[in-house]
Amino acid sequence: MSEPIILPFKNIHPKIHPTAFIAPGAVIIGDVEIGEDSSIWPGCVIRGDVNYIRIGKRTNIQDGTVIHVTRPSVVVNTSGQGGMTIIGDNITVGHKCMLHACTLEDECFVGMSSTVMDGAIVKKGGMVAGAAVITYRKEIPAGQIWAGNPAKFLRDMKQEEKDFILRSSDNYVNDSRDYLNG
């Protein structure tokens, strides 16, 4: 397997914390920052070219996920801002997701093969079920699970599901350390 591809765009280089794990086969381009103990797994493409991407600490972006942005001149969120992608701390993004010009607040969970579109916000502790599509400017409240295409409120989260989010973050921090240490 090849090394990760880490490229500048318009002379802006990705900033990756030294404790972050970037797997072989991942591609990271441009104005991207990745926080401590985060992990980017094989086949991910994180392209901060026409706007910026921020990924917090202890967040895992699993295999095959694509993260992109929208130009700053395109207002996509209710705050009147352009389309950067903000991903907070202690988040799990499952395999093969699409995150585009959206915000994931701390300690949320995005299930495998989900899409979170421009201007959407998943609030702290919210959960997106696998294969769900969170449409333009939709807000997922804390402590709720949304599912389907387009996603709709499914139910309030159980305590064990809330607890799982931090456990998942811990698991991926430990997995990435195992990879880093050989």
Side-chain angles (χ1 to χ4, degrees):
M1 193 178 287
S2 65
E3 290 298 311
I5 298 170
I6 301 171
L7 299 172
F9 180 79
K10 292 187 175 180
N11 210 31
I12 299 173
H13 294 260
K15 295 177 184 166
I16 301 168
H17 194 277
T19 62
F21 170 68
I22 312 300
V27 178
I28 302 169
I29 301 170
D31 195 353
V32 175
E33 293 182 14
I34 300 171
E36 75 180 271
D37 291 323
S38 286
S39 55
I40 311 299
W41 295 89
C44 290
V45 176
I46 303 173
R47 184 162 54 102
D49 51 6
V50 298
N51 212 321
Y52 63 89
I53 297 169
R54 300 295 180 262
I55 299 171
K57 63 185 178 186
R58 301 176 55 81
T59 288
N60 61 89
I61 310 296
Q62 295 176 17
D63 314 63
T65 291
V66 174
I67 303 172
H68 193 232
V69 292
T70 299
R71 295 178 192 285
S73 59
V74 179
V75 175
V76 297
N77 66 33
T78 56
S79 300
Q81 296 176 316
M84 64 288 209
T85 299
I86 307 294
I87 301 170
D89 300 337
N90 295 300
I91 293 174
T92 291
V93 175
H95 308 282
K96 212 175 82 172
C97 290
M98 169 68 72
L99 306 176
H100 199 271
C102 60
T103 299
L104 306 179
E105 293 185 355
D106 296 346
E107 299 171 19
C108 66
F109 183 94
V110 179
M112 293 183 283
S113 296
S114 293
T115 298
V116 183
M117 297 174 70
D118 299 42
I121 300 171
V122 180
K123 301 299 276 185
K124 181 177 180 177
M127 183 177 280
V128 176
V133 176
I134 307 300
T135 55
Y136 180 74
R137 288 191 176 177
K138 180 64 74 179
E139 185 172 303
I140 308 308
Q144 292 185 355
I145 301 174
W146 283 57
N149 181 3
K152 295 186 179 357
F153 172 72
L154 179 64
R155 62 177 169 78
D156 289 325
M157 294 171 65
K158 298 173 184 169
Q159 187 58 49
E160 59 264 24
E161 292 164 329
K162 293 176 183 179
D163 295 342
F164 173 76
I165 292 174
L166 289 177
R167 197 166 55 252
S168 178
S169 177
D170 288 342
N171 288 340
Y172 271 87
V173 167
N174 292 330
D175 290 348
S176 66
R177 287 179 182 158
D178 288 344
Y179 277 86
L180 285 168
N181 295 325

